């Protein structure tokens, strides 16, 4: 059972982020746009006694990144039984899980939840994380949602959030996406501050991330804050991918904020014009 918690006075407790998200998603303006989310949850499996990634030699390092992403084989894939067991358990529990893959850093995995509408995205991610904790506990492995579990030349762990509204998915949607990107650029600091603890260690501008200090967007560019797919550009409609959230982000906060910034928040025309110029966006 997933539930949100309140004080005896009926106020949401400080960690109850679902309450605010539910308010945003029940707004008629947001409901009319039927916001879809597809969330990519990355995580790292650690050995229990040394807190070092699964498959890594104790106190040492494996070969450099390259062959591990979506890799197969005992020397490249560590923890597939856990990933598979989690996938099956999520399907059995009715989680809207849509895929899994081995990640760039050895011992790191990802699963995707969605497309989900509104508040359901947060509910399903929280439930799926709980199931993952239980599966790893059973396997005697530690689950880490740290955004940068290993310092140095290794990928961090994110929670890329794919997002679209009804207007973005219909003809002419690319223009709506550009307007949404404008709004997101103007609230970059607000989003970063709510996108997960320790995210500054991950968003360095290296390892398929954009720098935490600058907002950027691009088509099929993994080094941007917001990535737009080639198909979206080609079809003139589709979705955007926010690559900034960390693996330990609160899905209620992130999904709610995306809907609020793109559907409810109105920037001044002056700020909008300046941002459009800066991002080379013709809206």
């Amino acid at each position: 059972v997933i539930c949100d918690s309140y004080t005896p006075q009926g106020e949401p407790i400080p960690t109850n982020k679902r309450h605010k998200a539910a308010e945003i998603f029940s707004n008629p303006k947001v409901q009319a746009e039927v916001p879809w989310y597809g969330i990519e949850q990355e995580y790292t499996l650690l050995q229990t006694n040394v807190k070092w990634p699964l498959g890594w030699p104790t106190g040492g390092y494996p070969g450099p990144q390259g062959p591990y992403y979506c890799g197969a084989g005992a020397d490249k894939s560590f923890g597939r039984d856990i990933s598979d067991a989690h996938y099956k358990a999520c399907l059995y529990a009715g989680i809207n899980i849509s895929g899994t893959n081995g990640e760039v850093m050895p011992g790191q995995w990802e699963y995707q939840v969605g497309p989900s509408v509104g508040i359901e995205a947060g509910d399903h991610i929280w439930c799926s994380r709980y199931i993952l904790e239980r599966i790893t506990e059973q396997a005697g492995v530690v689950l880490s949602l740290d955004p940068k579990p290993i310092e140095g030349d290794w990928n961090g762990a994110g929670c890329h959030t794919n997002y679209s509204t009804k207007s973005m998915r219909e003809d002419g949607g690319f223009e709506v996406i550009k307007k949404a990107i404008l709004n997101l650029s103007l609230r970059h600091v607000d989003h970063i501050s709510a996108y997960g603890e320790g995210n500054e260690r991950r968003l360095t501008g290296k390892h398929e991330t954009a720098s935490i200090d600058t907002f950027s967007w691009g088509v099929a560019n993994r080094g941007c804050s917001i990535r737009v797919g080639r198909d979206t550009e080609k079809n003139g409609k589709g979705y955007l991918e926010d690559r900034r959230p960390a693996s330990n982000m609160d899905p209620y906060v992130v999904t709610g904020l995306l809907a609020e910034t793109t559907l409810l928040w109105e920037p001044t025309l002056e700020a909008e014009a300046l941002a459009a110029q800066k991002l080379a966006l013709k809206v």
Side-chain angles (χ1 to χ4, degrees):
V1 174
I2 189 162
C3 56
D4 50 351
S5 309
Y6 296 83
T7 65
Q9 288 72 40
E11 294 291 313
I13 64 167
T15 51
N16 178 359
K17 307 297 183 191
R18 190 184 192 278
H19 182 81
K20 170 93 190 287
E23 277 183 353
I24 292 166
F25 289 121
S26 61
N27 184 300
K29 213 170 167 183
V30 175
Q31 281 186 332
E33 281 290 346
V34 197
W36 285 5
Y37 296 92
I39 298 177
E40 307 171 30
Q41 175 70 67
E42 293 179 1
Y43 61 94
T44 310
L45 299 173
L46 305 176
Q47 301 165 46
T48 40
N49 46 355
V50 287
K51 295 288 170 75
W52 201 235
L54 205 62
W56 290 38
T58 305
Y61 293 88
Q65 292 181 159
Y68 309 107
Y69 182 55
C70 300
D75 57 341
K76 296 184 250 350
S77 176
F78 313 109
R80 188 187 299 280
D81 50 347
I82 291 168
S83 172
D84 284 355
H86 174 248
Y87 187 63
K88 287 169 187 167
C90 281
L91 287 173
Y92 181 77
I95 301 286
N96 187 16
I97 192 166
S98 43
T100 67
N101 60 273
E103 260 308 323
V104 177
M105 189 178 87
Q108 202 170 57
W109 290 82
E110 175 189 298
Y111 63 92
Q112 300 87 28
V113 169
S116 308
V117 179
I119 198 76
E120 189 188 82
D123 289 344
H124 283 225
I125 281 287
W126 270 123
C127 255
S128 68
R129 283 177 177 177
Y130 172 75
I131 293 169
L132 186 56
E133 283 275 17
R134 291 292 299 268
I135 297 276
T136 50
E137 175 194 320
Q138 220 166 15
V141 171
V142 175
L143 166 67
S144 171
L145 293 182
D146 189 282
K148 188 77 175 178
I150 305 292
E151 291 303 318
D153 203 12
W154 303 96
N155 271 38
C159 206
H160 300 156
T161 303
N162 299 282
Y163 168 68
S164 70
T165 62
K166 191 166 177 282
S167 304
M168 292 177 188
R169 297 186 291 269
E170 289 173 349
D171 289 344
F174 195 26
E175 290 308 308
V176 183
I177 289 170
K178 286 181 185 174
K179 171 72 171 72
I181 291 170
L182 264 189
N183 280 20
L184 290 167
S185 76
L186 290 166
R187 292 191 86 192
H188 179 62
V189 175
D190 297 334
H191 281 253
I192 287 294
S193 65
Y195 273 15
E197 208 176 316
N199 209 9
E200 70 286 344
R201 291 184 280 116
R202 169 181 159 259
L203 294 181
T204 58
K206 294 176 184 169
H207 308 109
E208 302 179 276
T209 69
S211 165
I212 197 164
D213 302 315
T214 52
F215 179 91
S216 57
W217 81 284
V219 175
N221 187 341
R222 284 169 175 260
C224 282
S225 313
I226 304 289
R227 175 170 70 162
V228 173
R230 283 205 195 284
D231 279 356
T232 298
E233 184 188 41
K234 190 175 138 201
N235 300 332
K237 59 185 175 185
Y239 68 96
L240 61 85
E241 176 193 29
D242 192 340
R243 297 179 61 82
R244 297 170 296 173
S247 47
N248 59 2
M249 62 83 149
D250 187 320
Y252 293 130
V253 174
V254 171
T255 56
L257 205 46
L258 277 167
E260 185 181 59
T261 297
T262 58
L263 296 172
L264 302 176
W265 184 73
E266 287 293 340
T268 65
L269 287 172
E270 188 186 10
E272 211 173 52
L274 282 170
Q277 210 174 355
K278 197 172 160 190
L279 293 172
L281 270 172
K282 292 184 176 69
V283 179

